[in-house]
Amino acid sequence: MRASAGRSGARMECPLVSIGVPTYNRPDLLARSLTNISNQTWKNLEILVSDNCSSDPEVTRVIKSFSERDNRIRHYVQERNIGALDNFFFLLSQARAPYFMWAADDDYIASWFVERCMEVMLREKDIVLCTAETQYFNTEGELFPLVPQGAAFRRPTGWDRLKRMEHLIRNNFDNLIYGLFRREALVSNGQIFWTRTYAISNNEIPPLLAAAYHGEIVVLPDAGIFKRATLTTYAQAVWEERGGRLPTGSHMKGWRAIRSTWRYHDNVIRAVRAGVEQLDLEPDERRRLVAMARSRIRLHFLYMLARYKPASAPVSQESR
């Protein structure tokens, strides 16, 4: 199977891409997500759906309806609810393609998303994760203004692994995890990297550090991932990127909330340490990465405690 390379007019191979869709009790949103994925311009897909023991029988009906019309869809039903993250891991364990991405059942991606990411990854062999900017929308489907988060990853850096990992720590944002990966950046010796750290924290930084260890991360400048979010979640994302006053909905109210938030941040640091210890790094490289992560994560907590973060200038690779 072959596909056009698009604007260049060149021809390129069209490898299989696996898309994993974890779902639970959201049949209408799942139907929209599967319609969106089925209509991707990159046609060589295997679409994996894992129902996390939904109580709503409509979920089964939606999955059956789509799988009968599209033989690219394989579906699974968990006998018990295994938790959201384990459902994510299950989908990756079932994937057969050398390229993999997760797609949340309440989000959607641009029709060109897989094709454009694959064009980049086939052209640039050092890229292990390609994605696009994320734009949030509310429960009524109305788009919030785009807040670009990926300017620091507009193109390959050409750096060594340590500099790439440091760059990830400085510029990480959680939606990177919904990009398109080379499978070897997520799975090592048959084991999913994230499963070695998520018992400490389910934070995305350890697997993204592993991706940066293996190669380059690139973010396309156009909005290609669309995520459903509350106004509070969107306001938090704006604050993370731009600084200023912490939105009221994100305030830690009372000692219990402060202690819980501190524990979360501390667990992220522990997970980062556990993650980098599993990579083939020099001892001083590990110490350097953990120290950088610890400093930035604790500073983030202090910003939340102070309810203020200094405004930051837009980040770009040119301005670093």
Side-chain angles (χ1 to χ4, degrees):
M1 181 175 182
R2 302 182 70 84
S4 169
R7 290 167 297 280
S8 68
R11 305 286 289 181
M12 63 170 63
E13 294 182 1
C14 186
L16 181 66
V17 173
S18 297
I19 302 181
V21 186
T23 190
Y24 178 71
N25 275 349
R26 294 195 283 210
D28 293 341
L29 295 172
L30 175 62
R32 183 187 65 185
S33 179
L34 290 179
T35 298
N36 167 241
I37 295 169
S38 297
N39 290 332
Q40 285 291 299
T41 57
W42 189 272
K43 299 303 182 183
N44 194 14
L45 303 174
E46 73 166 359
I47 304 167
L48 309 173
V49 184
S50 178
D51 175 12
N52 204 3
C53 197
S54 293
S55 57
D56 187 343
E58 188 67 10
V59 173
T60 300
R61 190 199 69 77
V62 168
I63 295 173
K64 182 178 179 181
S65 173
F66 275 86
S67 60
E68 286 176 347
R69 301 197 307 266
D70 191 337
N71 61 11
R72 298 174 299 174
I73 296 175
R74 290 193 287 134
H75 65 276
Y76 307 86
V77 179
Q78 303 299 333
E79 294 182 356
R80 59 178 178 82
N81 191 303
I82 60 176
L85 205 51
D86 277 326
N87 206 25
F88 273 64
F89 295 154
F90 173 80
L91 287 161
L92 177 54
S93 72
Q94 299 303 307
R96 297 179 295 200
Y99 301 88
F100 178 85
M101 63 174 287
W102 287 287
D105 66 358
D106 58 340
D107 302 336
Y108 63 96
I109 54 179
S111 62
W112 48 258
F113 183 86
V114 174
E115 180 174 7
R116 284 184 57 184
C117 287
M118 284 298 297
E119 285 178 355
V120 172
M121 296 176 82
L122 290 173
R123 185 171 64 245
E124 303 282 349
K125 301 301 183 182
D126 290 339
I127 296 173
V128 298
L129 166 57
C130 184
T131 187
E133 289 288 356
T134 299
Q135 188 164 11
Y136 295 92
F137 62 92
N138 63 21
T139 53
E140 286 74 40
E142 299 166 333
L143 290 171
F144 291 113
L146 175 65
V147 181
Q149 297 174 295
F153 301 96
R154 285 286 181 264
R155 62 174 186 270
T157 61
W159 293 336
D160 62 29
R161 65 188 185 187
L162 181 61
K163 280 192 173 183
R164 290 196 306 265
M165 295 171 78
E166 289 175 334
H167 185 56
L168 186 279
I169 291 172
R170 285 192 298 268
N171 298 286
N172 170 64
F173 58 102
D174 55 0
N175 288 322
L176 281 172
I177 204 67
Y178 287 101
L180 180 62
F181 290 83
R182 293 189 195 271
R183 195 173 186 275
E184 65 263 26
L186 292 169
V187 179
S188 177
N189 297 321
Q191 185 175 9
I192 300 169
F193 183 85
W194 210 351
T195 61
R196 307 175 191 178
T197 62
Y198 90 103
I200 303 171
S201 170
N202 62 8
N203 187 270
E204 76 289 341
I205 295 177
L208 293 175
L209 275 173
Y213 169 88
H214 286 288
E216 300 276 5
I217 297 171
V218 168
V219 177
L220 303 175
D222 302 313
I225 299 177
F226 300 89
K227 292 194 70 67
R228 193 172 70 138
T230 64
L231 180 58
T232 297
T233 299
Y234 173 72
Q236 174 78 18
V238 174
W239 179 79
E240 297 282 358
E241 182 66 19
R242 297 178 179 171
R245 296 288 179 186
L246 181 69
T248 302
S250 299
H251 288 180
M252 295 181 284
K253 299 173 182 176
W255 173 245
R256 181 175 296 180
I258 293 172
R259 185 172 56 183
S260 174
T261 305
W262 167 256
R263 186 180 300 117
Y264 171 79
H265 284 72
D266 193 51
N267 284 341
V268 174
I269 295 168
R270 292 173 55 226
V272 169
R273 182 184 297 113
V276 298
E277 285 176 353
Q278 295 164 48
L279 299 171
D280 185 17
L281 294 164
E282 297 296 329
D284 63 325
E285 292 178 323
R286 293 194 183 100
R287 287 191 293 268
R288 184 169 164 177
L289 289 167
V290 172
M292 175 183 281
R294 181 171 57 241
S295 174
R296 296 188 72 87
I297 291 167
R298 287 180 176 173
L299 183 60
H300 182 269
F301 170 79
L302 291 175
Y303 286 151
M304 293 191 69
L305 188 62
R307 301 181 178 178
Y308 180 80
K309 177 181 178 182
S312 54
V315 177
S316 70
Q317 289 188 340
E318 290 83 357
S319 64
R320 284 196 313 276

